[in-house]
Amino acid sequence: GAVVSQHPSRVICKSGTSVKIECRSLDFQATTMFWYRQFPKQSLMLMATSNEGSKATYEQGVEKDKFLINHASLTLSTLTVTSAHPEDSSFYICSARVAGSEKLFFGSGTQLSVL
Amino acid sequence: SQELEQSPQSLIVQEGKNLTINCTSSKTLYGLYWYKQKYGEGLIFLMMLQKGGEEKSHEKITAKLDEKKQQSSLHITASQPSHAGIYLCGADPSGGSNYKLTFGKGTLLTVNP
């Protein structure tokens, strides 16, 4: 199946710093990618939709200035957690849809720990 | 908003046993996705169902969507330790047009050798 690569898999940072997470579609082009967040033992919550060449759309309650999304190419979307705080510690995971298909593939996720 | 309820929340079975996980929606399901997740890892796509009464199988896993399209079940035959993980059902509340998925809380499956 299609492969979505996410990097880094784990990151530990100090409070106040910014962290960038990359999501790449390796063998297909993705005009739309999605960013989710998952807290321990809870389900995934959609944060935003990343659109290639245009602004991301954010779900209600998600701060767009806090979670910057850039989708500069058909194979790469990035999520930057700005001025990270301990409450931002979470598992972040992206997904992408294969054009012309109903299938949605997910990356391997990024565990963010803010000290 | 569409809510997905999964049952059971957790399940422990002996290797070789069959099992079923259910996913019930508060609204009509226009696209129902099943994924498997190892804790702290990514999601592995299993199957996607769209039509009422649809059934799909992959290896020893079978997923069904009922005729009313409000409930789906995932059945594993002759379970193996490799089947252990968290099974998530997800659906697109928009009716399948924007692929923004809402997920259930997951079912944690443990398979004892």
Side-chain angles (χ1 to χ4, degrees), chain B:
Chain B
S1 62
Q2 183 167 40
E3 293 184 359
L4 298 177
E5 187 171 327
Q6 284 186 240
S7 63
Q9 291 184 353
S10 63
L11 188 57
I12 302 173
V13 299
Q14 205 65 31
E15 182 177 359
K17 295 295 185 182
N18 303 335
L19 63 105
T20 299
I21 298 168
N22 294 302
C23 177
T24 302
S25 172
S26 56
K27 297 182 180 180
T28 300
L29 292 163
Y30 291 100
L32 189 285
Y33 294 78
W34 281 102
Y35 290 91
K36 178 186 172 185
Q37 182 184 28
K38 294 281 190 180
Y39 183 70
E41 298 181 11
L43 277 65
I44 300 169
F45 175 84
L46 297 176
M47 274 166 281
M48 189 265 186
L49 304 168
Q50 284 184 295
K51 301 176 183 177
E54 187 175 10
E55 179 176 321
K56 289 186 178 178
S57 293
H58 176 67
E59 298 181 342
K60 294 184 178 181
I61 301 176
T62 299
K64 300 178 184 180
L65 183 61
D66 73 340
E67 290 288 347
K68 293 183 179 180
K69 301 204 302 182
Q70 284 194 287
Q71 185 172 25
S72 178
S73 61
L74 187 80
H75 184 78
I76 299 177
T77 304
S79 58
Q80 300 171 353
S82 60
H83 288 126
I86 301 167
Y87 288 82
L88 292 162
C89 64
D92 180 355
S94 73
S97 62
N98 64 21
Y99 303 97
K100 298 180 181 181
L101 299 188
T102 296
F103 284 90
K105 293 184 177 180
T107 295
L108 176 60
L109 172 64
T110 303
V111 181
N112 290 326

Side-chain angles (χ1 to χ4, degrees), chain A residues 36 38 43 49 91 102 104 108, chain B residues 33 35 37 100-101 103-104:
Chain A
Y36 290 81
Q38 185 180 35
S43 192
T49 302
F91 186 69
E102 303 296 326
L104 288 166
S108 55
Chain B
Y33 294 78
Y35 290 91
Q37 182 184 28
K100 298 180 181 181
L101 299 188
F103 284 90

